[in-house]
Structure formats: C-alpha cells, structure tokens
Amino acid sequence: MTGAVLDPLAARYAEWLGMPAAATREAIDDDPTEVRAMPVVLRIERAEPPSRTPLLEAAAAAAVAVCLDPRADDEWHEPLVSWIDLAIRKVARRARGAHWEAVQALPGVTIEVDGAQVRALVPGKVVEMPKEVTRLQISGSELPVDEPGPVPDDVPVLWLNPTVPMTAGKAAAQVGHASMLLAAALRADGQESYFDDWKDFRCAVRTPSRQGWAALHPGDDPLNAWRHRHVVAVRDAGFTEVDPGTVTVLAQLP
C-alpha cells in the first residue's frame, strides 16, 4: 500500500508538537550504534552551483519519493520502517563530479528541479553508511538566497521559518521532513488518491513574511490546522543549527 511506511509519523504528529522544547531532543535515542538517518545528497558543482530554491525543492521531492516508491513496500520496507519508528533524521551532504556519480549506484531516488539535482538514499544506520556517503562533506552546502518566482499552481508549499536562518543543507533536511509529514497526513485522512496526481512529488519552497508565518502556524491545535487549513509543521529536535523545539517549516496543501 503506497506510503504505508509513513503511518507512524501521522500517529505521533500531535504528540511531538505538544512536547516541551527540551523534550523533543530527549525523546530521540542517542545510542550511536542505533542512530539511523536518510542521506540527502545535494549536487553542488564547483563551476556551476545550483540555485538555492530549486535545490531545496528537489530535496523535498526526493525524500518523499523514497517513501512513496513501490520499493518501499518491498526491498526498502525494513530499512524505512526501522528508521521512521525511531526518528526521521536526515543528513544532507554535498557531492560533485565522480562522487555524485558514485551515489547514483546506491538505493534511492534522484530528483531534478530546474537544473538542481538531489538524491535521497534509503536510510540506514549511521555507523554502517557506505564509503560513497561517508566521504562526502556535510559542511560547505551554503548557497546565496535567491528570488523564486510565483508558486506554481496545484503544488504543496513548504514555508521556511522567516526568523530562523538555516544553511542550504539544514533547510534541505527540513523540507524533506515537511514533504514526508504532508504525505503521512494525507494517508491518515484517507486521501492517498492525492499521490496519483502529485507529479514528481513537486513542492514549492518559499519564505513568508513574519505575519504570514504567524497566520499559518498551527499553534497549540495541530489537528485542526490540518483539518481546516491543510497545514502541518516540522519541529526540530535541535541537534544542529537551531534550538530544540524550533518549528522550521510549515507545509501547506494548495
């Protein structure tokens, strides 16, 4: 059944948003031998780096594409379930040239948006990641802020928190969380048919005004925010760049 691996996300969504800020970090098992993550590989060539917004949009699409791929019900099922049952950690890494080509052989999905390419890999234990992944740099993924055009019709919008600066790598992981939460919420509502028309899992990534962010924010009523405004929120555990409990992205259906 398409997207079934995402069901635990929907089940714990409201509980996660309701936790005290510090508890969002404490709730994640830190046993280093058991930590699992989805590598999100950003193609950033030295001579022709991509624009920031298309790269983030490709990251969002690639992450959810792995979870909605038919292989998620088959050979990818166990690693996805083991990962989602613990936490949906992602680690964004940058690659270029031969290193980018090498990760294409690993299980995952590559998405291209307006020339920007991202490959999301099937998650696994961090201590067991293949060398094609571990040799890639985590730092150095910053890209200049661009000015994207209007939001395309009929695509979900992932709104970045306008008060929280994030590197492109951090933002890529966060929008990947957002697209997955959106898919999980749709399944919980019995709206899996949406996936049939979600072409290439395309999402728009934008930064709203502070007033727009406040108007969209679920506050202390995440379930009604979804039911009435089709908005879900990503709340970060605070391991990198942002404080524990920070809401980094709001995902909204068109």
Side-chain angles (χ1 to χ4, degrees), residues 16 21-22 24-25 28 235-239 242-246:
W16 179 257
T24 59
R25 185 163 183 169
I28 297 178
R235 196 176 190 214
D236 194 71
F239 286 99
V242 302
D243 294 332
T246 300

Side-chain angles (χ1 to χ4, degrees), residues 13-72:
Y13 172 63
E15 177 185 356
W16 179 257
L17 281 189
M19 284 183 180
T24 59
R25 185 163 183 169
E26 295 166 0
I28 297 178
D29 184 0
D30 271 331
D31 180 347
T33 65
E34 293 300 322
V35 172
R36 297 171 184 264
M38 170 186 277
V40 180
V41 184
L42 316 176
R43 185 177 189 181
I44 304 179
E45 297 289 345
R46 194 188 313 274
E48 295 184 19
S51 296
R52 180 184 172 102
T53 295
L55 191 73
L56 297 183
E57 292 177 348
V64 75
V66 170
C67 301
L68 299 182
D69 190 284
R71 289 167 288 185

Side-chain angles (χ1 to χ4, degrees), residues 67-103:
C67 301
L68 299 182
D69 190 284
R71 289 167 288 185
D73 298 323
D74 192 8
E75 67 257 42
W76 295 354
H77 184 76
E78 191 280 328
L80 280 167
V81 168
S82 297
W83 170 58
I84 289 171
D85 279 351
L86 292 175
I88 55 169
R89 283 187 181 182
K90 296 182 179 70
V91 177
R93 295 175 181 267
R94 60 180 173 86
R96 60 173 64 101
H99 287 180
W100 168 255
E101 296 303 327
V103 298

Side-chain angles (χ1 to χ4, degrees), residues 210-227:
R210 293 190 179 210
Q211 293 82 1
W213 176 267
L216 283 170
H217 200 292
D220 59 1
D221 197 359
L223 294 182
N224 275 326
W226 170 250
R227 289 171 182 155

Side-chain angles (χ1 to χ4, degrees), residues 150-172:
V151 173
D153 293 336
D154 301 324
V155 300
V157 185
L158 311 181
W159 300 101
L160 298 173
N161 190 329
T163 68
V164 179
M166 290 183 281
T167 64
K170 178 68 174 180

